[in-house]
Amino acid sequence: MTHALNFVWNPSEGINLGFFMIRFYSLMFVIAFLLGWFLMKKIFQRENESLEKLDSLFVWTVLATLIGARLGHVFFYDWEYFRNHLLEIFLPFRFDPKFEFTGFQGLASHGAAISIIVAMYYYSKKILKRPLLWILDRIVIPVASGAIFVRLGNFFNSEIIGNETTSAFGIRFLHDAFSKNEAVQKTGIADPKEAYNAIATNPKFANLLAEVPARHPAQLYEAFSYIFVFAILYFLYWKTNTRLKSGYLFGLFLVLLFVVRFIVEFVKQSQGGIEENLGYFSTGQWLSIPFIIIGLFFIIRAQRNPLAES
């Protein structure tokens, strides 16, 4: 039985300016990157680092995030499909069974984490001229804030949803239950937006609405938890001398963020991937374990060398 407090999530695609649609998912990414730039500017100013190097950092981080997240999804979650559709890895189109614009559906945070670390290695050597851990200890602060908005973007997109639930936290994700074509076909209403609205509000289609189960809003669980991850890192950097412990903030970020990810995965709907072969844990959990272990290593290392400079 669905709890009385469950509600139907039927979001609009974005802000319609008439000549252009600002999609909420894209808007969340823009906010994440701009906030990240602002935070790193403050950090660079505090560290007396040249702001000229900030623009390069922004470009490297954006490219690393998008490319890494895309490749992470391809190789960790859906290689069986993309191995036969290589062009679709970097093109926002589907060619089979028919040609259609799909956008880039599928971004994996684990892939983004790996690519950002790799990008920061080259950035620290070629541009910043500082040790790798110096930039990693600082870049994790805006990355943690960005993770909040990325998950909010997932919520607007009705993706990465949770398992079915009867709790008061359950949300009925209408767009996940019915694709645009299905909504149109089942209601007989040509406009997908109007079709969704009819299912959500018109008693005539109550039977269709009843088919939509309440699910855990896993994206919101993660977004809410990441607020605390960001707050902890931000406080430690600005209010303590923790930044002087080389690798500590980077390690703490890995532990906190991926422990959150590991826990939330218990109520998250399966996204496939390597879990089909390994079993027991989900793909997201298996991928989180190495990051947690690496994070613990850097925390312990930093504690043993408390006066180490980044």
Side-chain angles (χ1 to χ4, degrees), residues 190-238:
D191 187 320
K193 181 179 180 180
E194 293 302 321
Y196 281 128
N197 289 337
I199 296 174
T201 61
N202 193 332
K204 177 182 176 182
F205 301 107
N207 61 317
L208 293 178
L209 184 59
E211 295 179 21
V212 184
R215 295 183 178 276
H216 285 287
Q219 323 94 321
L220 297 185
Y221 295 165
E222 281 195 62
F224 181 75
S225 299
Y226 291 158
I227 292 174
F228 292 97
V229 175
F230 166 71
I232 291 171
L233 295 172
Y234 186 89
F235 173 81
L236 289 176
Y237 175 80
W238 286 102

Side-chain angles (χ1 to χ4, degrees), residues 47 130-138 242-249 301 307-310:
E47 305 282 357
R130 283 180 181 263
L132 173 61
L133 286 177
W134 186 92
I135 189 63
L136 288 179
D137 279 335
R138 288 150 181 81
T242 304
R243 69 185 187 283
L244 302 179
K245 299 179 180 181
S246 180
Y248 187 89
L249 289 176
R301 175 181 176 274
L307 299 179
E309 295 183 357
S310 295

Side-chain angles (χ1 to χ4, degrees), residues 172-188:
R172 291 193 272 181
F173 292 91
L174 191 59
H175 293 215
D176 173 75
F178 302 115
S179 67
K180 290 182 179 180
N181 290 336
E182 289 174 333
V184 168
Q185 182 181 13
K186 290 178 180 293
T187 61

Side-chain angles (χ1 to χ4, degrees), residues 27 46 81 126 136 141 230 239 270 308:
L27 180 61
R46 181 186 192 184
Y81 173 82
K126 303 295 184 180
L136 288 179
I141 299 173
F230 166 71
K239 301 299 182 180
S270 173

Side-chain angles (χ1 to χ4, degrees), residues 216-283:
H216 285 287
Q219 323 94 321
L220 297 185
Y221 295 165
E222 281 195 62
F224 181 75
S225 299
Y226 291 158
I227 292 174
F228 292 97
V229 175
F230 166 71
I232 291 171
L233 295 172
Y234 186 89
F235 173 81
L236 289 176
Y237 175 80
W238 286 102
K239 301 299 182 180
T240 72
N241 291 324
T242 304
R243 69 185 187 283
L244 302 179
K245 299 179 180 181
S246 180
Y248 187 89
L249 289 176
F250 171 61
L252 184 61
F253 164 81
L254 293 179
V255 171
L256 292 177
L257 187 127
F258 287 105
V259 163
V260 167
R261 178 68 185 273
F262 189 92
I263 294 173
V264 175
E265 285 285 328
F266 282 114
V267 297
K268 190 181 294 184
Q269 191 177 48
S270 173
Q271 298 176 64
I274 61 177
E275 65 189 60
E276 297 175 0
N277 298 318
L278 297 178
Y280 198 71
F281 291 134
S282 71
T283 298

